[in-house]
Every structure is written in structure tokens, then in C-alpha cells.
Amino acid sequence: MNEKTMRKAKFGAFLSRASVPMMFIIICALCIPIAGLSPNYLVNEIVTRMGRNSFLILSLLIPIMAGMGLNFGMTLGAMAGEIGLILVSDWQIVGIPGMVLAMIISVPISILLGLFCGKILNMAKGREMITSYIISYFINGVYQLVVLYLMGSVIPIKHGSIKLPRGYGIRNTVSLLNMRQHLDNLIPLNIKGVKVPVATFIVIAVLCLVIVWFRRTKLGQDMRAVGQDMEVARDAGINVERTRIISIIISTVLAGIGMVIYLQNMGNIATYSAHSQIGMFCIAALLVGGASVDKASIGNVFLGVILFHLMFIVAPRAGAYITGDSMIGEYFRVFVSYAVITIALVMYETNKRRVKSMEGERLRLDQEKEGKDE
Amino acid sequence: MNNKKKLSVRSLIVRIVALAAVIALAVILAVIGRGHTVYFDNKKLDADGTSYDPFYKVEVFVNDKSVAKLSEGDRGMVPVMGQDFKMVLHITPKKGSKKVGSAVSMKLPYNIDGIVLNLPALLSGAAEDVYMDEFIPTPTAEEETEDVVITDEFALPSDE
């Protein structure tokens, strides 16, 4: 009987975990034939988007491990990456060296921003997600101050193609044509018309290995302990606050590097908007892959990228076919990405409350039993 | 206590060395990754009382790829990375004459983005300041128009 209940509970937990990916698999399965896109095109798009987005989404795993939920503050790292790329574009450093230099420039900025974000999140324990979300808006203001007013006036910017005609501030779009897809095309591979960005996948694979290795290190174990129970971790001698700050710093630094990889694939920077959407889409993709606020794996990242972006590709065409208006499909994919985040957050809170009430119920039963025994 | 102090000194040294290595890497990247646009002019040039006449046809190869086929008065270009520049020129000096091959290698100046090379002067052995010039782009109409930068996505439409 006990075993049966346990099995039932396990199946229930699996269902609740797999419900979002299942829903997306069904949506994609319905939309793909309607969209009428060729399999080759779909595979090509998915492979490109995997290379473009996976690194960014992987940056979200470490704060989840440390129990800090979904790091909306990854936007901070994205801004650091953009600053690196703007400077490198102005200095005319091109190709792979330009990319690596942009990453190097982004790292100290990301560390500082991550440190700041981590310190604030330590003051708002239990409300990390909403706090990091609001911090991203705050830092966006600082970013705009730097990019719109200080660049060109205080920070030297030479090129007219980057600078606004008034003499300071950066244009809405900065071209990255001289480093566009340089990493993707570093090791060219074409399998039956599908362009595989081998070098980008190698970088992503290395990060996956680093994450697996990191989980086994002392710091990784500390993060998991902090993620499970902060008080127990503190009693065990772990410096909880420091561990949490480090997890946010690592996430922010990885997000900065990920943003450089993302933008080299795109070939241009939308200076004032690229970073603001990226956090939301990465988090939505991770959740679509079956991750939750307190549990996420590398597998969730890749499943999420495939399903989320598959929907991104087929939904507009399917919407156009069904309603005659492709904008319906656009609305659909935007609404779904926000809805997924909402559902995931609601499910997380519901589960947390259910676990708490179950624990309370168990305690009450135990006390009743003890009373009867006496 | 002493051990701890030793360890912290060691870790400080390791950190300083790591930081220095990263800075050195950044400098190396900034040098080897510096991009230039090299323009090739097959135009008549008069300098210091000497006249350099253009060739009938020139084909320019960089990294074994044909990047420009120039007739008299033409200009070609190629984006390159780094300061070591090598090109191979297939020159037809006069109409009906035989093609002549010539390999040219030179150091590009780090601080110039666009470098104009006058090929007739270069191949005649003229001084660097004669055959080399800086390309100064004139801003396009698009570059001169001010972008509308939206900085507040929550802004309400104004009544004005």
C-alpha cells in the first residue's frame, strides 16, 4: 500500500515536471505540419539557435543550484557583454580575437555587477527572483547613462558609424559584421545542407563539462547545501552569503560571455533592447525544457532550446495559415513565453505550500498518535 | 597562523600573475585582431614631380583569393586582420601585353583603419608616404540622421 502511494506520488511529480514540455511537444507537433516548413529548414534553424542560445541558458543553472531561483539578473551580464562588444567594435578588433577581447572586457564588469546583485539578493532572501528582475531595470538605467551619455563624451568613441551624430551616445544598432558568425564558421561542417556550428558547440560542451565538474567541487557542494536549506548549511559551517554571491557572480560572468556568443551569431547589437528581452526568453526556454525554480539540469537547457525555438519558428507560419495573419502567430509565441514563466512560478509556489501543509498534517498526525499512546 | 599568511601571499601572487596573463592576452588580441580595410587604387598618381601611370589590368589576390580585378582608374578593397599584409598581384601593364606576377608584403600602420595603396606607385618602388594614404570616409546620409533612442519602455505617450 505504502509502495503504491509512493509510486503514485512519484508519477504525480513526474507528470507535474513534464507537463510543460509535453504541452510544447503537442503544440509543436500540431504546428509543424500546418506551418509546412521543410525538415531541412527546421533542423537548420534549430541547430543555429542551439548554438546561439545554449550558453546563455546554461548560465542560469548555477543560481538555481544555490537555491536562488531563476536569475533575472543575467541581464546584467548581457549588458556587460554588449559594452565589451561596443568598445571592441570601436577599436576595430575583428574576428575571433575581437570576440575574446569583448569577453575579457565583459568579465570585470560582470563581476562587479554580479557582486552588487548578489549583495542585494542576500538582503532579500526568499524574494530573489522579483528582486533580481527589478535590479535588471535599475542597472538598465545605469547602462543607458553609460551608453547614451558617457560613451563618446567621457569614454572615447571614435567611429561615426557607432556614435550618434550629436557627438556622444551610441546608435540604436551597432554592426558586428566583422565578427559575424566567426565562431560558428571556425570549424565548418555541413551535413546534408544543415550548417553545424562545431566550434560554438565545443564551447558549449566545455561549459557543460565545467558545470558537471563544478557540482562535485567543494564550492559546488556548498551551493547545493545552501540551495537545500540555508540554516542547515550555515550550521554546517558554510558561509551562506558568500556562497550565494559567488553563484550570482558566476552566472553573470557566464551571461556576459554568452551574450557575446549570441550577438556574434546575430551580427549586430540592438544597443538599447537586446539585453532586456534575453533574460525573459532564456528563462522561458529553460522552463519549457522541464526545469523548475528550484531544479534544473543541462538536459532541461537543450530540450528547452529545441522546443521553445521550434515553437518560435513554426508558430508565425501556423498562425498565418490558420488565421491568415502572421501577427497572430507572433502574439501567440510571445504570450506563450510569458505564460510559461507565470505557470512555472505558480506551480512552484503551489508545490511549496502543498509540501508545507503536508508536513504540518504529518506533524499533527504524529502528535495525535503520541497523545493516544500516552 | 604563519601557514595561513604564507598561503594568502601565495594566493595573492597567483592572482596577480593570472591578472597579468589576462591583460597580456588582451593586449595580444588587440594587436593581432586589429582590423583594417585596405583599398587598392589603380589610378594615375603625381607626386614629387614623378608621375605613376596606371596598369591596363590588375588582379589582386589575398590569402589565395581573388579580391579585386581592377582596370585603369578602378579602386578595390579587402578587409584584413593584423598588421602583416601580403598580396599577390597579377598585372597586365599594357593592353595585349603578358601578365606579370608580383608578391608584395608590408606592415600596415596600427592606428589607421582604412589604408589606400596606390598600386602603380607601390610597384615602382616609391616611398611609403607616396603610395600609402589614409582613407577618410564621408559620412552617409543615414549616418548623419539622429536615431530615435527609446530608453523608457514604460513611458506613457505625451499629450504634446
Side-chain angles (χ1 to χ4, degrees):
Chain A
M1 182 68 183
N2 234 351
E3 207 174 286
K4 217 176 179 181
T5 322
M6 262 177 71
R7 232 185 271 161
K8 234 181 181 177
K10 266 188 184 174
F11 184 67
F14 169 76
L15 264 188
S16 96
R17 253 201 336 268
S19 56
V20 179
M22 293 289 259
M23 188 179 81
F24 268 76
I25 289 170
I26 293 166
I27 293 170
C28 290
L30 289 173
C31 286
I32 288 171
I34 297 170
L37 296 163
S38 72
N40 204 294
Y41 174 80
L42 281 178
V43 175
N44 228 328
E45 280 292 311
I46 290 295
V47 169
T48 304
R49 285 158 190 257
M50 274 177 80
R52 190 191 293 163
N53 293 281
S54 298
F55 200 101
L56 272 167
I57 305 174
L58 284 165
S59 76
L60 291 166
L61 295 186
I62 286 172
I64 294 176
M65 201 165 92
M68 300 178 82
L70 301 160
N71 181 22
F72 284 91
M74 70 172 286
T75 314
L76 277 55
M79 290 179 214
E82 283 173 27
I83 289 175
L85 281 171
I86 291 170
L87 293 176
V88 162
S89 294
D90 188 52
W91 300 339
Q92 293 280 301
I93 314 296
V94 301
I96 300 283
M99 268 185 69
V100 179
L101 188 58
M103 288 172 186
I104 291 174
I105 294 167
S106 81
V107 169
I109 305 171
S110 296
I111 290 173
L112 283 176
L113 291 173
L115 183 69
F116 169 76
C117 185
K119 287 208 169 198
I120 292 185
L121 295 187
N122 273 345
M123 294 174 198
K125 286 192 190 95
R127 294 282 178 273
E128 285 92 351
M129 281 190 285
I130 183 66
T131 313
S132 62
Y133 188 58
I134 298 300
I135 290 172
S136 71
Y137 279 106
F138 164 50
I139 297 297
N140 190 28
V142 179
Y143 170 83
Q144 282 173 11
L145 176 76
V146 172
V147 174
L148 201 51
Y149 293 102
L150 300 185
M151 281 193 173
S153 56
V154 178
I155 303 162
I157 297 290
K158 208 170 84 179
H159 291 92
S161 57
I162 296 174
K163 202 164 43 175
L164 287 166
R166 67 182 181 204
Y168 60 89
I170 302 297
R171 287 177 178 276
N172 274 333
T173 310
V174 175
S175 170
L176 297 176
L177 212 60
N178 48 23
M179 64 174 78
R180 184 168 184 255
Q181 298 187 355
H182 271 66
L183 181 65
D184 299 341
N185 298 332
L186 189 64
I187 306 170
L189 179 68
N190 203 308
I191 305 170
K192 291 182 181 176
V194 177
K195 216 175 97 186
V196 185
V198 180
T200 314
F201 281 148
I202 290 172
V203 173
I204 293 165
V206 169
L207 179 61
C208 291
L209 290 175
V210 167
I211 290 172
V212 171
W213 163 79
F214 180 77
R215 279 184 178 154
R216 292 175 190 162
T217 60
K218 164 83 171 63
L219 186 59
Q221 299 281 359
D222 287 356
M223 278 185 195
R224 284 160 78 172
V226 170
Q228 274 162 16
D229 195 317
M230 267 189 275
E231 291 314 311
V232 173
R234 191 171 280 120
D235 291 345
I238 296 169
N239 188 340
V240 173
E241 278 69 26
R242 184 175 169 272
T243 310
R244 283 162 57 94
I245 289 174
I246 291 172
S247 80
I248 290 292
I249 290 176
I250 293 172
S251 173
T252 315
V253 168
L254 291 177
I257 296 170
M259 193 65 180
V260 175
I261 294 173
Y262 175 88
L263 290 173
Q264 67 85 32
N265 179 275
M266 300 293 283
N268 63 61
I269 313 173
T271 315
Y272 301 97
S273 58
H275 51 271
S276 54
Q277 291 296 320
I278 205 76
M280 200 61 78
F281 286 147
C282 286
I283 285 167
L286 186 63
L287 293 171
V288 166
S292 67
V293 174
D294 55 354
K295 203 176 175 198
S297 67
I298 292 168
N300 297 139
V301 172
F302 293 107
L303 181 63
V305 177
I306 292 170
L307 290 177
F308 190 66
H309 286 279
L310 193 56
M311 195 205 65
F312 251 59
I313 300 158
V314 296
R317 290 289 292 263
Y321 183 84
I322 295 166
T323 62
D325 184 0
S326 63
M327 278 313 289
I328 301 287
E330 291 283 340
Y331 291 137
F332 179 71
R333 68 185 189 182
V334 171
F335 121 80
V336 166
S337 45
Y338 287 112
V340 164
I341 297 176
T342 313
I343 291 168
L345 296 179
V346 170
M347 274 166 62
Y348 173 70
E349 274 305 314
T350 316
N351 277 346
K352 214 163 84 176
R353 283 186 191 169
R354 198 173 58 201
V355 169
K356 253 186 188 172
S357 73
M358 273 168 70
E359 274 172 8
E361 185 68 15
R362 201 174 301 143
L363 195 70
R364 187 182 65 81
L365 287 171
D366 285 350
Q367 280 173 346
E368 272 180 17
K369 209 175 175 186
E370 270 173 30
K372 271 180 193 171
D373 288 346
E374 278 168 18
Chain B
M1 181 72 180
N2 203 13
N3 214 2
K4 224 177 181 181
K5 215 176 182 181
K6 247 187 187 172
L7 205 76
S8 69
V9 170
R10 213 173 76 178
S11 81
L12 186 73
I13 291 168
V14 169
R15 281 174 199 185
I16 290 168
V17 169
L19 185 69
V22 172
I23 292 170
L25 176 67
V27 172
I28 291 167
L29 290 169
V31 174
I32 62 164
R34 175 70 162 97
H36 303 274
T37 307
V38 179
Y39 298 86
F40 319 102
D41 274 0
N42 185 26
K43 293 177 183 173
K44 186 176 176 170
L45 179 75
D46 292 307
D48 305 332
T50 317
S51 182
Y52 302 96
D53 289 325
F55 303 112
Y56 174 65
K57 267 197 173 96
V58 184
E59 189 170 3
V60 185
F61 291 84
V62 175
N63 295 327
D64 298 328
K65 273 186 194 164
S66 170
V67 293
K69 281 179 184 168
L70 311 172
S71 299
E72 283 183 33
D74 282 354
R75 170 175 279 183
M77 54 159 276
V78 64
V80 294
M81 191 169 82
Q83 281 71 62
D84 292 320
F85 179 63
K86 283 179 188 161
M87 64 178 168
V88 174
L89 304 169
H90 288 183
I91 306 156
T92 313
K94 294 268 180 282
K95 191 174 181 182
S97 64
K98 245 188 167 185
K99 254 187 198 174
V100 184
S102 176
V104 179
S105 58
M106 63 174 76
K107 281 255 175 220
L108 300 175
Y110 184 86
N111 54 345
I112 301 180
D113 292 340
I115 298 155
V116 184
L117 300 176
N118 185 283
L119 297 181
L122 172 70
L123 292 169
S124 303
E128 194 183 277
D129 59 332
V130 174
Y131 69 77
M132 193 183 279
D133 202 4
E134 184 175 359
F135 178 80
I136 298 160
T138 44
T140 59
E142 195 189 329
E143 278 178 4
E144 287 198 320
T145 50
E146 194 81 27
D147 287 358
V148 180
V149 179
I150 299 164
T151 54
D152 185 4
E153 52 195 281
F154 298 122
L156 294 170
S158 67
D159 297 329
E160 286 165 32

